Amino acid sequence: MHGTENLTRTIFDWSPLVVSLAIFVLTYAVIVTERINRALVALLGAGLMIFSGVLHQTQAFAGLDLNTIGLPA
Amino acid sequence: MMVIVAITQKSGVFQYVAVISAKSVKASPWGILVMLSTVTAVFSALLDNVTTVLLIAPIALLITDALKLNPYPYLFAIIFSSNIGGTATLIGDPPNIMIGSAAHLGFNDFLLHLAPLAALIFVLMLLPFYLIWGRKLSASAEDRAQVMSFDEKAAITDPLLLKQSMGVLTLVFAGFIMAHDIGLEPASIAMFGAALLLTLRCLPKSPEDQSHLVHKAFGEVEWVTIFFFVGLFVLVAGIERAGALKILAEKLVEFTGGDVAVTSYTILWVSAVASALVDNIPFVATMIPVIQNMAPVLGEENLGTLWWSLALGACLGGNGGLMGASANLVVAGFAERAGQPIRFMPFLLMAFPLMLATIAVSHVYLMLRYL
């Protein structure tokens, strides 16, 4: 908890680099096709980043930029 | 901002501005195109692009219908003007908000570095618009007389709301200008403004009406865009933490030989082409950490030019394709409903070369001013 580095462990101990890039590229590819609403695709991809163990929820939320999220509101 | 704009919109002030614009040029078709483009560019610099085109596109369709003109040139000009106008300020375009926040660049930095170029590009863009469409546009005398008879005062449906929302908007913009110097973030100011305007609207109402009003106002928030941002930031945080962006930055520096000028030009052109084909928001979200990772090699003091290259490439690149920016798709939606759909390929064939011309102008600007 609370972003302790050694608590995140990638699923099956695969390389975090490969796993994160695979999720990233796959998500982008689906966004570009515009077949599924892009917000949903991005959130599903974000979920995979967390479930695969690349990121802990705390680290995921630390990545949010509050101006970018707050200004359109 | 969406909460503030959605409330302000009900006063009719945006329609008022449009009618005034059309009448000020005696309802001449080319004059209206220049006027609507100018209003779109200025609004896009101050509000977000999607909001601006949501307000201007219906007005353009209204006027072109009254004058029996093909709306396509007007909608095309609105798309370009919104992306060019948005380039000028911190709050004008999502890439600028993201870059400003990550690089600690304030409202005034964007005004000083990007606004002069955006203004120049806007004026230059009118030339191809004139050559392609402007000189051929014409409308009959009676149709023009009808537009001249529109009453702008009738557009203002709520004078009290007009005063309240203009007051709050003035405060918010003053806040944006000062924010950087007094250590405030723009999102705090926009949120406070929205709460203030809502409170002003709620004061004379019963508790039931208040809860209805607040509920409706928060419903106007662009939630889909916001959740898209949330997902993207988490995705980028994932590859960042896995070290992918550091490797990409190293490769990019290796390719450019660590030369600030070559790196800037590369970022400018690559961002432009990428942003024309895919939405510029995910692209910028990926590039920000890449540029941050270049600091040790290129030097912290040289990052400024790289940020401007990214902002110019991403914002102006959005003009290159129909999917390049969310505002483009909003305009396309209006065109479709009006029975004049904007097709992907014809738009690309005309917009992409024009976009590349704006990037060439930016290239010269970067060269003369920074490199």
Side-chain angles (χ1 to χ4, degrees):
Chain A
M1 247 327 259
H2 302 298
T4 322
E5 292 292 309
N6 56 14
L7 265 179
T8 48
R9 215 173 127 220
T10 324
I11 191 164
F12 307 131
D13 276 328
W14 286 339
S15 148
L17 191 64
V18 174
V19 173
S20 66
L21 278 177
I23 297 170
F24 188 82
V25 171
L26 184 76
T27 312
Y28 264 51
V30 179
I31 289 174
V32 172
T33 66
E34 300 202 320
R35 295 291 292 275
I36 307 168
N37 182 288
R38 60 182 192 167
L40 301 179
V41 181
L43 287 174
L44 289 174
L48 286 181
M49 277 294 181
I50 295 170
F51 298 146
S52 66
V54 173
L55 288 174
H56 191 273
Q57 180 181 295
T58 319
Q59 295 156 340
F61 279 85
L64 302 188
D65 181 275
L66 295 181
N67 278 323
T68 311
I69 291 163
L71 273 176
Chain B
M1 289 308 290
M2 269 315 293
V3 171
I4 300 179
V5 168
I7 299 172
T8 305
Q9 193 182 356
K10 295 195 183 77
S11 70
V13 66
F14 299 109
Q15 285 83 346
Y16 178 88
V17 173
V19 173
I20 290 273
S21 311
K23 285 170 88 167
S24 71
V25 291
K26 308 236 177 335
S28 105
W30 168 246
I32 290 171
L33 192 138
V34 173
M35 208 60 214
L36 283 178
S37 303
T38 311
V39 173
T40 306
V42 172
F43 275 20
S44 288
L46 300 175
L47 310 168
D48 70 287
N49 294 354
V50 172
T51 311
T52 305
V53 301
L54 272 173
L55 301 165
I56 307 283
I59 293 156
L61 291 171
L62 193 95
I63 297 176
T64 52
D65 188 51
L67 291 172
K68 302 191 178 67
L69 291 163
N70 178 2
Y72 187 79
Y74 293 84
L75 298 175
F76 192 98
I78 286 172
I79 289 180
F80 262 71
S81 307
S82 75
N83 288 316
I84 295 171
T87 310
T89 63
L90 169 68
I91 51 165
D93 215 357
N96 285 0
I97 301 174
M98 296 160 77
I99 293 167
S101 196
H104 304 291
L105 295 164
F107 195 83
N108 297 340
D109 294 316
F110 279 85
L111 220 50
L112 281 172
H113 292 269
L114 296 187
L117 176 63
L120 174 72
I121 289 177
F122 176 74
V123 174
L124 289 177
M125 259 301 105
L126 292 175
L127 182 69
F129 287 169
Y130 183 77
L131 293 175
I132 300 168
W133 296 298
R135 57 202 174 120
K136 292 184 219 140
L137 291 170
S138 67
S140 70
E142 55 260 49
D143 289 337
R144 286 173 66 172
Q146 196 208 330
V147 169
M148 290 307 288
S149 70
F150 285 167
D151 181 13
E152 67 273 10
K153 290 201 187 66
I156 301 294
T157 46
D158 190 338
L160 173 67
L161 172 57
L162 178 70
K163 281 184 205 137
Q164 290 172 331
S165 47
M166 287 302 117
V168 169
L169 273 174
T170 309
L171 279 178
V172 168
F173 288 130
F176 282 154
I177 294 167
M178 293 186 302
H180 198 56
D181 296 328
I182 49 179
L184 286 176
E185 298 290 336
S188 319
I189 295 165
M191 295 271 188
F192 184 81
L196 185 65
L197 183 56
L198 269 177
T199 308
L200 286 173
R201 298 303 291 163
C202 277
L203 273 178
K205 293 186 194 299
S206 71
E208 291 81 38
D209 287 350
Q210 287 192 14
S211 98
H212 180 70
L213 184 100
V214 173
H215 209 91
K216 234 183 113 210
F218 287 162
E220 308 266 12
V221 172
E222 259 303 315
W223 290 116
V224 175
T225 309
I226 290 172
F227 279 114
F228 181 54
F229 283 141
V230 169
L232 277 180
F233 280 127
V234 173
L235 283 165
V236 174
I239 56 165
E240 156 88 284
R241 193 173 126 75
L245 298 180
K246 200 157 166 277
I247 296 170
L248 179 61
E250 281 163 10
K251 291 277 172 221
L252 201 60
V253 172
E254 207 176 286
F255 169 75
T256 62
D259 182 78
V260 178
V262 180
T263 312
S264 296
Y265 298 143
T266 310
I267 291 175
L268 176 72
W269 289 92
V270 169
S271 313
V273 173
S275 303
L277 304 175
V278 298
D279 199 295
N280 52 18
I281 294 166
F283 180 76
V284 170
T286 314
M287 281 304 288
I288 283 173
V290 171
I291 291 183
Q292 282 168 336
N293 277 308
M294 287 179 182
V297 187
L298 296 179
E300 197 76 51
E301 70 283 359
N302 290 322
L303 286 194
T305 315
L306 303 188
W307 292 125
W308 303 133
S309 307
L310 176 63
L312 288 168
C315 294
L316 296 173
N319 274 329
L322 207 49
M323 290 201 293
S326 328
N328 306 4
L329 290 167
V330 173
V331 174
F334 275 107
E336 202 154 12
R337 254 174 284 164
Q340 298 274 354
I342 301 176
R343 300 264 169 247
F344 185 81
M345 277 316 284
F347 182 87
L348 188 79
L349 289 177
M350 193 171 285
F352 198 79
L354 284 176
M355 179 278 284
L356 289 182
T358 65
I359 295 300
V361 175
S362 309
H363 186 120
V364 174
Y365 176 83
L366 287 174
M367 190 168 70
L368 294 178
R369 185 155 177 191
Y370 306 103
L371 300 165

